[in-house]
Amino acid sequence: MASPAPFRIRSLAEYHAATARAAADPTGFWADVAAPFIWRKPWDTVSAGHFAVGRATWFAGAQLNITENCLDRHLPARANQPALIWEPNDPTAPGRTLTYAQLLDAVSACAYALQKLGLGKGDRVCLYLPMIPELAIAVLACARLGAVHSVVFAGFSATAIADRVQDAGATFVITSDGMNRGAKSAPVKPTVDDALATCPGVRAVLVVRHTNEPVTMQPGRDHWYHEALLPAEDDDFHADDAIIEPEVMDAEDPLFILYTSGSTGKPKGVVHSTAGYMVWADYTFRNVFQTEEGDIHFCTADIGWVTGHTYGLYGPLLAGATSVLFEGVPTYPDAGRFWQIVEKHRVKILYTAPTAIRSLMGFPLALVERADLRSLRVIGSVGEPINEEAWHWYHEHIGRKNCPVVDTWWQTETGGIMLSALAGITPSKAAHAGLPLPGVQPVLLTADGHEIEGNDQEGLLAIKAPWPAVIRTTWGDHERCRQTYFAPYPGYYFTGDGARRDADGLYRIIGRVDDVINVSGHRFGTAEIENALNEHEAVIESAVVGFPHDVKGQGIYAYVILTGEIPADESARTALTAAISRTVEAQIGKIARPDKIQIVSGLPKTRSGKIMRRILRKVAEGELTNLGDTTTLLDPGVVAEIIAGRQ
Ligand code: WT7
């Protein structure tokens, strides 16, 4: 029997009808959306549980494998259509295109190798790889076997990898010898070696040969990927084009863990389930971008972040599209690289971050005009608020005023897009994410948890009812999940963002209301950076705040108190702050290095010992005239010192 067509909203009237139905009859609505997939066993219950108990389930009782839906399902119609196009860092180097049939073969071969090394259902695998096809292949191979993937962005430090490997109890690691970034290449494997010195639980490491950097292989533990792929002698796996059968998973089995920062010190492992995430990735991808099967989609995010998971990999494959994976950086060999990629691969949907747009806007327009961008139909933005200037530049110069801009608001925890225009269908307004997707019920709350009715209002953004890809748990600590997202406002999922609803009901995200800062679309907890700063032997205490940054959105401003005397000599102070910055790099990664470090003799604290961050934020923002009430400070004098020493 032919399966039903994918659920697609094609007009404003259909959007309103879907919104009404998803609210009034969620069971019927989601059963229809889920119908086109391959289910090995149908579900018993579409949706159960509620935020009040901190755990919802979707499609419980069903069985499936997401890779069967990403790959096998498409073979009859699109075996020879490209699934992935890999664009290497060096534009003159050969790229790679994998058709759906070839990708399934590659995933099978990788799954075979992992299986041979003993990987099985439920095991955790840490992937620490640059943006090369093997990253996508290995992620899918894990899912094929029912192993839980935990991708760690290849810019994180050894300490950060070790924390994540230990927290997840990962027994396998997949990495590469090195990586290419613009004009440079850098070793990768030594970072993993450092990390694994404190991870005795790791049994096997697969190493992809990519840059030919020299590596040290630990016998018994480390294996070259290309060698592990070879069939065992008595094995006929490669004798024909056999594929590894997908492991049959329960709907609620975890598909992946992805670590993200919160307001407490330690990043948490956000867990997504198999079925709910799959349905959400496909539904949001097709409807927000109005994708047709076979469309070429270029998501510039690394697979190390959730955007890369959902819209670089799973969403496009579920929808039978072609995804462009880019290894390099937007400014190499010059700042026209993204536009060249659009032209070269006839990209139809471009999905990138405001920080990239703001940085590329600063270069001569000739770099844009040199490229033929006529293939573009939809352009998207994600990760942080997009300012009006960047929105208009993107719309005018990249979209040539005839591509709808979709400003998509969502989070690692939401699995996929929640608030966004549906391209060409619902309103797209500069700096506004827009209307909720059908099935999403956003509300604005007052600080004490009352819903704010009506339009032209501002409040805390929360979601009122479960959606299929809502975070299931934080790995190893469900109570933390409950406390963070479901306890602050009982009955709601709390986002941590503040938002405004305009006169037409369109949402505009204002920014985080908690101690999370968003630097170039990357999320850091201020406490996490403070912990890293405090690891330096000369630092006894620190306080971190965000400040507005023209390109990054927010920059990181650190105030540090030293254990000893403040060096009188300026060059000694500079050397010390540089060393402190390197400590943050070693603890978290380059991406978390503070933009500014100010050495202070004290911090503005109340009599009860609480740091008044409001004052620190104002000084960091350069707003020095209106610091508010400082009379409750233990030592008001410290404020003058901080202002005087402002960086
Ligand atoms: C936080 C989530 C969404 C995947 C990438 C980031 C901010 C995200 C937008 C947007 C304004 C946005 C929010 C959110 N954010 N998208 N379109 N407009 N702000 O995922 O690392 O989990 O960060 O990014 O503050 O809470 P993440």
Side-chain angles (χ1 to χ4, degrees):
M1 198 184 74
S3 60
F7 182 85
R8 270 290 295 276
I9 297 161
R10 294 182 191 273
S11 67
L12 193 57
E14 284 180 13
Y15 166 79
H16 288 303
T19 300
R21 183 165 179 231
D25 171 26
T27 302
F29 179 77
W30 289 110
D32 283 356
V33 176
F37 296 95
I38 298 178
W39 299 94
R40 292 295 185 102
K41 180 174 169 284
W43 52 86
D44 301 323
T45 346
V46 168
S47 160
H50 193 263
F51 290 162
V53 294
R55 203 183 294 256
T57 66
W58 284 84
F59 310 107
Q63 292 189 317
L64 73 156
N65 185 289
I66 192 169
T67 69
E68 185 169 30
N69 284 286
C70 286
L71 300 171
D72 312 60
R73 182 167 59 123
H74 296 307
L75 290 195
R78 51 192 81 254
N80 299 321
Q81 178 200 302
L84 300 179
I85 296 175
W86 179 64
E87 170 70 20
N89 175 65
D90 173 358
T92 62
R96 249 176 98 185
T97 295
L98 288 147
T99 64
Y100 272 90
Q102 289 166 337
L103 182 58
L104 177 56
D105 284 345
V107 169
S108 279
C110 179
Y112 167 80
L114 291 167
Q115 207 170 44
K116 213 169 45 171
L117 290 166
L119 185 74
K121 182 174 183 166
D123 293 342
R124 273 83 61 210
V125 182
C126 170
L127 295 98
Y128 186 78
L129 283 157
M131 279 287 276
I132 55 178
E134 287 77 8
L135 172 54
I137 293 165
V139 164
L140 296 167
C142 291
R144 189 96 181 155
L145 298 175
V148 180
H149 54 80
S150 167
V151 184
V152 176
F153 172 65
F156 279 111
S157 69
T159 310
I161 302 169
D163 288 347
R164 287 156 176 75
V165 165
Q166 289 165 5
D167 186 82
T171 50
F172 277 62
V173 174
I174 308 177
T175 187
S176 67
D177 50 0
M179 68 196 292
N180 299 313
R181 298 289 287 170
K184 292 179 284 212
S185 71
V188 171
K189 175 72 164 42
T191 310
V192 171
D193 291 336
D194 283 354
L196 297 192
T198 56
C199 303
V202 172
R203 295 198 284 118
V205 179
L206 277 188
V207 186
V208 177
R209 181 176 279 159
H210 179 50
T211 56
N212 289 313
E213 307 267 335
V215 300
T216 319
M217 301 291 273
Q218 183 174 306
R221 187 195 70 181
D222 300 354
H223 311 268
W224 284 107
Y225 182 90
H226 59 272
E227 286 172 5
L229 249 51
L230 298 174
E233 251 168 39
D234 54 352
D235 201 321
D236 59 3
F237 173 71
H238 280 236
D240 47 35
D241 52 356
I243 59 163
I244 293 283
E245 280 304 310
E247 184 73 29
V248 177
M249 306 300 287
D250 288 336
E252 284 292 322
D253 279 339
L255 173 64
F256 67 84
I257 307 172
L258 193 56
Y259 284 83
T260 192
S261 301
S263 32
T264 50
K266 208 172 127 229
K268 44 187 173 282
V270 171
V271 176
H272 281 291
S273 71
T274 305
Y277 174 82
M278 174 181 79
V279 169
W280 196 248
D282 180 273
Y283 165 77
T284 55
F285 179 70
R286 289 186 200 258
N287 287 292
V288 170
F289 301 104
Q290 290 290 304
T291 325
E292 301 300 336
E293 301 188 356
D295 279 359
I296 300 180
H297 174 74
F298 177 24
C299 166
T300 68
D302 194 289
I303 293 178
W305 309 108
V306 74
T307 307
H309 279 56
T310 308
Y311 302 108
L313 194 59
Y314 284 118
L317 295 179
L318 287 164
T322 298
S323 181
V324 176
L325 301 185
F326 175 41
E327 179 189 19
V329 295
T331 49
Y332 179 80
D334 61 41
R337 186 68 190 277
F338 278 0
W339 327 129
Q340 293 305 126
I341 294 175
V342 168
E343 172 180 310
K344 178 171 171 189
H345 300 297
R346 317 296 306 146
V347 169
K348 200 162 156 189
I349 307 161
L350 173 67
Y351 193 33
T352 193
T355 188
I357 299 166
R358 287 191 298 260
S359 118
L360 297 176
M361 270 166 72
F363 291 88
L365 255 189
L367 291 170
V368 177
E369 288 160 354
R370 184 180 74 186
D372 179 356
L373 302 180
R374 284 174 302 176
S375 58
L376 285 176
R377 288 288 175 278
V378 177
I379 55 178
S381 170
V382 61
E384 38 167 337
I386 178 166
N387 48 309
E388 295 201 17
E389 196 192 349
W391 193 99
H392 287 295
W393 186 87
Y394 195 36
H395 182 243
E396 184 177 332
H397 296 291
I398 306 307
R400 301 158 341 276
K401 292 188 180 155
N402 60 26
C403 296
V405 177
V406 292
D407 175 6
T408 62
W409 175 86
W410 58 295
Q411 310 177 297
T412 305
E413 295 87 341
T414 71
I417 297 167
M418 302 287 281
L419 305 175
S420 170
L422 306 185
I425 292 177
T426 56
S428 167
K429 175 176 171 186
H432 287 67
L435 295 173
L437 267 68
V440 175
Q441 294 183 35
V443 293
L444 297 177
L445 299 178
T446 60
D448 56 2
H450 294 293
E451 275 186 37
I452 303 169
E453 307 281 336
N455 288 341
D456 227 346
Q457 299 282 354
E458 199 172 304
L460 302 171
L461 181 63
I463 314 287
K464 205 174 172 164
W467 65 97
V470 60
I471 178 176
R472 292 307 193 272
T473 190
T474 44
W475 185 263
D477 188 355
H478 187 65
E479 182 54 18
R480 191 168 175 207
C481 172
R482 212 186 55 77
Q483 285 292 345
T484 311
Y485 306 105
F486 303 106
Y489 298 101
Y492 299 94
Y493 165 84
F494 179 52
T495 66
D497 281 316
R500 176 166 189 86
R501 199 161 47 219
D502 77 0
D504 302 315
L506 307 185
Y507 285 85
R508 172 182 200 147
I509 307 300
I510 296 163
R512 301 288 305 196
V513 295
D514 53 7
D515 290 321
V516 168
I517 49 186
N518 190 326
V519 184
S520 300
H522 305 322
R523 223 165 117 174
F524 297 103
T526 52
E528 180 188 3
I529 301 171
E530 288 160 7
N531 290 345
L533 290 161
N534 299 349
E535 285 293 313
H536 191 280
E537 56 184 12
V539 176
I540 190 154
E541 196 184 355
S542 58
V544 165
V545 296
F547 69 96
H549 187 289
D550 284 349
V551 172
K552 298 178 177 184
Q554 280 188 297
I556 301 173
Y557 196 116
Y559 298 88
V560 298
I561 305 178
L562 304 182
T563 38
E565 293 281 296
I566 301 179
D569 174 45
E570 190 181 332
S571 67
R573 283 199 302 273
T574 309
L576 181 59
T577 52
I580 293 170
S581 183
R582 282 196 298 276
T583 304
V584 177
E585 180 177 339
Q587 292 292 313
I588 307 174
K590 268 200 177 74
I591 46 178
R593 273 194 311 216
D595 295 275
K596 293 176 180 179
I597 298 180
Q598 181 178 352
I599 300 173
V600 293
S601 67
L603 291 165
K605 287 188 183 169
T606 61
R607 280 178 196 138
S608 59
K610 206 171 154 317
I611 298 175
M612 283 183 86
R613 289 176 182 275
R614 177 175 53 83
I615 293 176
L616 296 178
R617 269 194 290 268
K618 289 215 159 159
V619 175
E621 282 165 16
E623 210 198 297
L624 308 176
T625 48
N626 181 22
L627 290 176
D629 183 12
T630 55
T631 53
T632 57
L633 290 178
L634 196 57
D635 173 14
V638 83
V639 176
E641 181 211 310
I642 287 176
I643 293 176
R646 198 179 151 254
Q647 298 295 295

